[in-house]
Amino acid sequence: MDLPYWSPSQVKAMLECEGYFQAKYIHGLTETGRSEKLVVGRVIDDVLSSLVNDYLTSEFRETGDWLPLHDLSIVEAHLASELAAAETEGETWPFQSKWLGSTMALKILQTIDIYMRDVEGTRWEMAQRELSCDVFGIPFKGFLDAAYTNDNGELVIIDWKSKSRRDNLDFMHRIQLSCYAWAMNTQLVEAHYIVPWTKEPGVIIHKTTRLPREIIEPYLSRRAELLGGSTPVLNPSSWRCGKACPAIHTCIVGQWKAADVTSYAA
C-alpha cells in the first residue's frame, strides 16, 4: 500500500503496535466489528462537530454565548446513522436494543450538555477540518476535531475523546495533538475527555503545549523503516493487545479481514 503522506492516526497505530501499523497501513487489512464504546465515541464527535458548526453559522459566534443542548433528537439521529451503517456491513449488535430512545442515548445527551456548558463562551474557529499540508518537509493529512481562539488571540487545538473513566493525558494522545499543532503552526493543545460511561457522566479538559520537533521526528523515521519492510518490534509494551505474543500472523488471521489474508499469513 502506497502511503504518500503521514497522519496522527498512523503515528498512534505505530505507537500502539508496530505489527498493527504494518497490517493496516502496509498490507491494507481492515478491522472487523465495532465496539459499543467506539460507536459512542463517533456519535459524540459527530454531535459536537454539528453543534460547533451550527454555532459558526449563527449569531452566537458574535457574542461567544452558547445555547445549551436540550434536544435528544440530534443524538438519536446520529445513533440511527451508526446503526444503519453497521447493518449495511452485516454486523450484529448485541447492544442495539438499548440505544434509540434509551438510557444510552440519554447518557450521551447528558454528557454533551455538561460539556457544552463547561465550554460556554468559547470562540470556536472550526470543527472537523480536513488538513493537508507539509509538516517537517513530509506531506501530512489529518482530520482536526476542533479549534478555538483564546483570550490572547492564540489558536488552540482540541481533540475530543470518549472515555470510560477519568483519565490523565497520556503520551500517545499528546503526540497526536502535537501533530495537529505543528500542522496548524500553533503551540497550544487541549484534550477534551467526554466520559459518558461512569455512574455520574462528566468532562475532563487537559491543557498543554505541543511536543518539540525532535521528539516527533524519530517516530516518522521509524514509520519510514516499517514502510520499507523493517520487522516490527516484538515487545509486550508495543503490542496493541498488550500480550507478548510474537505470532503476528495468527493474530491477524483471527482479527482482520481481507481478500488475501492467507497469503499474508503464510
Side-chain angles (χ1 to χ4, degrees):
M1 178 182 291
D2 183 29
L3 277 181
Y5 60 86
W6 70 282
S7 69
S9 296
Q10 292 175 27
V11 175
K12 178 177 181 289
M14 191 177 65
L15 285 169
E16 287 181 324
C17 170
E18 291 188 348
Y20 171 73
F21 172 85
Q22 283 196 323
K24 181 173 183 177
Y25 291 104
I26 298 176
H27 299 284
L29 304 185
T30 306
E31 283 183 280
T32 59
R34 304 184 191 188
S35 71
E36 183 175 8
K37 291 181 180 180
L38 175 62
V39 174
V40 168
R42 288 177 177 174
V43 170
I44 289 174
D45 278 6
D46 289 344
V47 173
L48 289 176
S49 61
S50 295
L51 290 170
V52 171
N53 282 321
D54 285 347
Y55 161 87
L56 290 173
T57 58
S58 75
E59 67 274 15
F60 296 103
R61 181 184 176 94
E62 299 301 322
T63 63
D65 293 332
W66 183 257
L67 188 64
L69 176 70
H70 297 292
D71 188 356
L72 185 61
S73 63
I74 186 173
V75 176
E76 291 191 329
H78 285 287
L79 287 173
S81 176
E82 289 290 343
L83 289 172
E87 289 172 359
T88 299
E89 295 171 10
E91 295 180 3
T92 301
W93 290 67
F95 50 86
Q96 183 168 349
S97 61
K98 70 176 185 178
W99 279 55
L100 300 180
S102 67
T103 301
M104 177 54 67
L106 288 170
K107 286 194 75 171
I108 294 172
L109 176 69
Q110 179 185 358
T111 313
I112 291 174
D113 195 51
I114 291 170
Y115 174 73
M116 297 315 299
R117 291 175 187 275
D118 282 354
V119 299
E120 186 173 1
T122 297
R123 294 192 293 272
W124 299 99
E125 295 294 339
M126 63 190 74
Q128 288 295 304
R129 173 72 59 86
E130 182 176 7
L131 305 179
S132 182
C133 56
D134 279 3
V135 178
F136 308 147
I138 307 172
F140 171 95
K141 282 191 177 181
F143 280 90
L144 176 66
D145 276 350
Y148 74 92
T149 301
N150 66 15
D151 292 340
N152 296 322
E154 300 166 300
L155 187 69
V156 183
I157 302 301
I158 291 178
D159 192 54
W160 294 313
K161 292 286 186 190
S162 173
K163 289 283 190 175
S164 58
R165 60 181 184 274
R166 288 167 167 78
D167 284 339
N168 294 321
L169 176 62
D170 60 35
F171 178 74
M172 190 183 302
H173 197 184
R174 192 175 176 193
I175 281 277
Q176 284 186 280
L177 283 162
S178 297
C179 293
Y180 290 117
W182 278 102
M184 295 295 292
N185 193 30
T186 188
Q187 290 281 345
L188 303 179
V189 297
E190 296 182 3
H192 290 195
Y193 290 168
I194 318 297
V195 190
W197 300 98
T198 53
K199 185 176 181 179
E200 293 293 333
V203 172
I204 301 172
I205 296 178
H206 297 291
K207 300 183 179 184
T208 186
T209 56
R210 74 183 185 193
L211 293 167
R213 176 173 180 165
E214 54 267 27
I215 289 180
I216 300 173
E217 283 193 308
Y219 295 106
L220 300 184
S221 297
R222 180 56 181 161
R223 168 188 175 273
E225 292 173 358
L226 290 169
L227 291 174
S230 177
T231 303
V233 175
L234 302 183
N235 182 316
S237 64
S238 73
W239 283 86
R240 190 166 188 257
C241 61
K243 300 176 182 177
C245 177
I248 179 175
H249 303 313
T250 303
C251 176
I252 286 174
V253 170
Q255 298 185 27
W256 300 69
K257 63 183 179 182
D260 197 18
V261 171
T262 303
S263 64
Y264 175 58

